[in-house]
């Protein structure tokens, strides 16, 4: 038998341990991210037993971040990015400044050198891409105003960190490092800044001028071959190729390169299919990202310097979030938007680790400060899902108390969960049939027109929550239609609804036979399987029972 290579051992060990501890966390009603992090601690060098290769794990995690940012770019147009620039650019700059200042203040209190306090504070100021985007995707907020602001904020932080990673050695020398190296002249520092900014500008311009035309054209040409395998390969090649080229030719981060690749591919009509093709790999490598974080964690820091770790956590969870909340409110945005942005940024991740490692390598921060950053990151990532749960409950209660929402008065209505592509079509059919409809959706922007026009009653929130379903007045409803695409989310809604009312007709959508069985087992009265219905319609059309034109688009 061949010995497992470090790559295979890391992938297998990471995924298996993540599954085991993720399942345990889910069983204990804890965020599954907690299980992934614990899996990383178990596989790390600071605990006995199996030890995975940390270097390989980090590279696998980088792949996950690349694919994740590529997926975000697919749904994020340049227009969306520019629409939030007025708040994202100054907001991110001020918030990073506040967090960096708080970190420097903590460093001053601990007697650290000025440069160490600066790098420490800067590491606490930038949020994790993976954590933020997973939270947004779970709540389907990426296409909302809140999601666009968060992503725009993230891009500004990304650009700031790209600049910081390039300039940090030079700035450290200018301020005077502990190694006593010669400080560069101000002219050299300015030249470094100008060169770095220039390369970023050239990359962005190249993507907007050339990439915007070449990437969609290539995708269309590959699609014309009829090979799904080749199409999938083309999507991955362009995503990873652009990210790699951006990093090595323009010194732009992998994340930013992948985001622009996705945004340019989003100009193609095949962007939705491209997103679906990358989803499985994105989820798998995102799991390895959290495992890699856990591997870096040294539990001894919690015993040796607990108060320093606590202070760092307070800066991340309280100080940085409070600054973001005040900034968003200062721009006249609603409290719900401000709370969402503040909660999204109440954690740190991959850029913080890169910055801390660079700081140690050039002698700007100590190993102790690096371990504090890692510990604070672990704690903040564990706490962040809990903060989102609290936020969801606050939003559900707030929307339920809103003066323009009185779903309790509704009766004899059909409840529609999900207002995406399928949900909108179902809603149109129901309205044409004269039915009264109540829509449950997490994205307020998606149903704002419905609420403003009075076409339908609207409840904002996660339909799997008992409070949200109660607001929909299921006891008087004629039927419940679950149109959300995710089978696990749909299953939670079906189960919660069935617990509230045994005789309620529940219709759900499915993408496979296994999904059909899953939803039926949880209590769905009828499950519509897309491919099955399509096959039936094609058979009827071919037999002459139905016009092929009449079935198009359904």
């Amino acid at each position: 038998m061949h010995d497992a290579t470090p790559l295979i051992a890391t992938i297998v060990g990471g995924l298996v341990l993540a599954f085991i501890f993720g399942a345990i966390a889910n069983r204990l009603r804890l965020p599954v991210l907690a299980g992934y992090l614990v899996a990383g601690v178990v596989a790390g060098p600071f605990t006995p037993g199996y030890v995975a290769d940390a270097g390989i794990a980090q590279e696998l995690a980088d792949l996950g971040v690349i694919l994740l940012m590529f997926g975000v770019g697919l749904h994020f147009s340049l227009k969306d990015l520019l629409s939030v620039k007025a708040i994202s650019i100054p907001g991110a700059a001020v918030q990073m400044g506040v967090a960096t200042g708080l970190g420097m203040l903590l460093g001053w209190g601990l007697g650290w050198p000025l440069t160490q306090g600066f790098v420490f504070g800067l590491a606490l100021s930038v949020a994790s891409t993976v954590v933020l985007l997973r939270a947004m995707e779970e709540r389907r907020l990426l296409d909302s105003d809140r999601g666009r602001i968060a992503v725009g904020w993230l891009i500004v932080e990304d650009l700031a960190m790209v600049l910081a990673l390039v300039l940090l050695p030079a700035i450290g020398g200018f301020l005077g490092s502990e190694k006593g190296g010669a400080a560069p002249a101000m002219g050299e520092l300015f030249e470094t800044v100008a060169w770095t900014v220039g390369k970023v500008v050239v990359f962005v311009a190249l993507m907007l001028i050339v990439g915007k035309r070449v990437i969609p054209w290539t995708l269309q040409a590959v699609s014309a071959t009829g090979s799904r395998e080749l199409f999938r390969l083309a999507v991955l090649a362009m995503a990873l190729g652009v990210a790699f080229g951006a990093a090595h030719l323009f010194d732009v981060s992998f994340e930013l390169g992948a985001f622009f690749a996705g945004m340019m591919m989003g100009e193609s009509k095949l962007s939705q299919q491209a997103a679906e093709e990358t989803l499985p790999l994105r989820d798998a490598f995102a799991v390895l990202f959290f495992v890699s974080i856990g591997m870096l964690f040294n539990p001894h820091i919690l015993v040796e310097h607990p108060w320093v770790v606590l202070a760092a956590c307070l800066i991340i969870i309280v100080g940085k979030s409070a600054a973001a909340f005040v900034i968003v409110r200062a721009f006249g945005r609603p409290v719900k938007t401000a709370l969402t942005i503040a909660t999204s940024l109440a954690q740190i991740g991959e850029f913080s680790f890169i910055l801390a490692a660079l700081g140690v390598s050039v002698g700007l921060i100590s190993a102790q400060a690096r371990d504090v950053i890692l510990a604070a990151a672990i704690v903040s990532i564990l706490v962040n899902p809990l903060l989102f749960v609290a936020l969801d409950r606050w939003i559900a209660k707030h929307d339920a108390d809103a003066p323009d929402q009185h779903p309790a008065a509704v009766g004899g209505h059909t409840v529609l969960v999900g207002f995406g592509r399928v949900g909108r079509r179902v809603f149109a059919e129901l309205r044409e049939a004269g039915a009264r409809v109540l829509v449950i959706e997490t994205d307020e922007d998606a149903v704002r027109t419905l609420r403003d026009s009075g076409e339908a009653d609207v409840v904002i929130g996660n339909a799997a929550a008992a409070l949200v379903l109660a607001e929909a007045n299921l006891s008087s409803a004629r039927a419940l239609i679950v149109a959300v695409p995710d089978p696990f989310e749909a299953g939670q809604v079906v189960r919660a609804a069935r617990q509230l009312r045994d005789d309620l007709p529940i219709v759900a959508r499915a993408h496979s036979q296994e999904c059909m069985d899953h939803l039926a087992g949880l209590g769905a009265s009828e499950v519509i399987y897309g491919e099955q219905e399509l096959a039936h319609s094609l058979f009827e059309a071919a037999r002459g029972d139905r016009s092929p034109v009449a079935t198009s688009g359904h």
Side-chain angles (χ1 to χ4, degrees), residues 81-151:
L81 193 60
L82 294 176
S83 69
V84 296
K85 68 179 186 301
I87 182 173
S88 295
I89 295 176
V94 173
Q95 174 255 299
M96 292 183 72
V98 169
T100 302
L102 291 173
M104 294 178 70
L105 184 62
L106 175 60
W108 175 78
L110 296 171
W112 290 352
L114 178 63
T115 51
Q116 176 162 314
F118 173 76
V119 176
F120 179 79
L122 191 61
L124 301 184
S125 70
V126 57
S128 166
T129 298
V130 179
V131 176
L132 187 150
L133 294 181
R134 280 180 75 95
M136 288 290 168
E137 286 183 331
E138 286 176 1
R139 291 157 180 82
R140 302 200 304 278
L141 292 177
L142 283 177
D143 294 327
S144 69
D145 184 58
R146 289 177 283 166
R148 286 189 287 270
I149 293 174
V151 172

Side-chain angles (χ1 to χ4, degrees), residues 66-229:
I66 290 172
L67 293 173
L68 189 67
M69 285 301 290
F70 173 74
V72 173
L74 282 171
H75 300 288
F76 209 86
S77 67
L78 183 62
K79 181 180 178 182
D80 292 333
L81 193 60
L82 294 176
S83 69
V84 296
K85 68 179 186 301
I87 182 173
S88 295
I89 295 176
V94 173
Q95 174 255 299
M96 292 183 72
V98 169
T100 302
L102 291 173
M104 294 178 70
L105 184 62
L106 175 60
W108 175 78
L110 296 171
W112 290 352
L114 178 63
T115 51
Q116 176 162 314
F118 173 76
V119 176
F120 179 79
L122 191 61
L124 301 184
S125 70
V126 57
S128 166
T129 298
V130 179
V131 176
L132 187 150
L133 294 181
R134 280 180 75 95
M136 288 290 168
E137 286 183 331
E138 286 176 1
R139 291 157 180 82
R140 302 200 304 278
L141 292 177
L142 283 177
D143 294 327
S144 69
D145 184 58
R146 289 177 283 166
R148 286 189 287 270
I149 293 174
V151 172
W153 202 298
L154 189 76
I155 296 302
V156 175
E157 288 190 349
D158 196 353
L159 286 169
M161 293 306 294
V162 167
L163 191 62
L165 292 172
V166 173
L167 299 179
L168 191 60
I171 293 176
F174 184 77
L175 295 176
S177 72
E178 294 179 355
K179 292 185 177 181
M186 179 64 76
E188 295 178 11
L189 185 62
F190 176 79
E191 182 181 344
T192 303
V193 173
W195 180 243
T196 302
V197 173
K199 286 190 288 186
V200 172
V201 170
V202 170
F203 167 72
V204 173
L206 188 65
M207 291 302 298
L208 294 179
I209 297 173
V210 180
K212 190 175 182 178
R213 293 170 174 79
V214 173
I215 292 179
W217 178 86
T218 303
L219 200 65
Q220 190 70 37
V222 174
S223 176
T225 65
S227 172
R228 182 176 181 180
E229 181 179 350

Side-chain angles (χ1 to χ4, degrees), residues 389-410:
V389 170
L391 176 64
D392 291 340
R393 291 177 179 175
W394 184 90
I395 289 177
K397 183 178 185 303
H398 175 78
D399 286 325
D401 293 339
D404 60 340
Q405 183 172 319
H406 303 284
V410 180

Side-chain angles (χ1 to χ4, degrees), residues 327-340:
I327 293 166
V328 176
R329 288 292 291 154
F331 278 87
R333 302 288 178 154
V335 173
K336 179 164 60 176
T337 298
L339 285 174
T340 302

Side-chain angles (χ1 to χ4, degrees), residues 227-292:
S227 172
R228 182 176 181 180
E229 181 179 350
L230 194 59
F231 179 85
R232 184 185 301 117
L233 184 60
V235 172
L236 293 174
M238 283 187 279
L240 299 175
V242 172
F244 185 83
H248 286 268
L249 297 178
F250 300 97
D251 288 330
V252 174
S253 67
F254 287 125
E255 293 87 346
L256 194 63
F259 174 78
F260 271 93
M263 196 162 63
M264 296 306 101
M265 192 176 291
E267 299 293 325
S268 169
K269 296 179 181 180
L270 299 169
S271 59
Q272 181 64 33
Q273 183 180 349
E276 293 174 357
E277 294 294 343
T278 58
L279 185 60
L281 276 177
R282 185 177 67 193
D283 288 344
F285 282 109
V287 169
L288 291 175
F289 165 80
F290 292 103
V291 174
S292 71

Side-chain angles (χ1 to χ4, degrees), residues 434-454:
R436 184 171 185 180
V437 186
L438 184 148
V439 177
I440 302 179
E441 173 60 59
T442 56
D443 181 5
E444 183 177 8
D445 293 337
V447 291
R448 180 175 291 145
T449 303
L450 292 180
R451 172 179 282 182
D452 294 343
S453 65

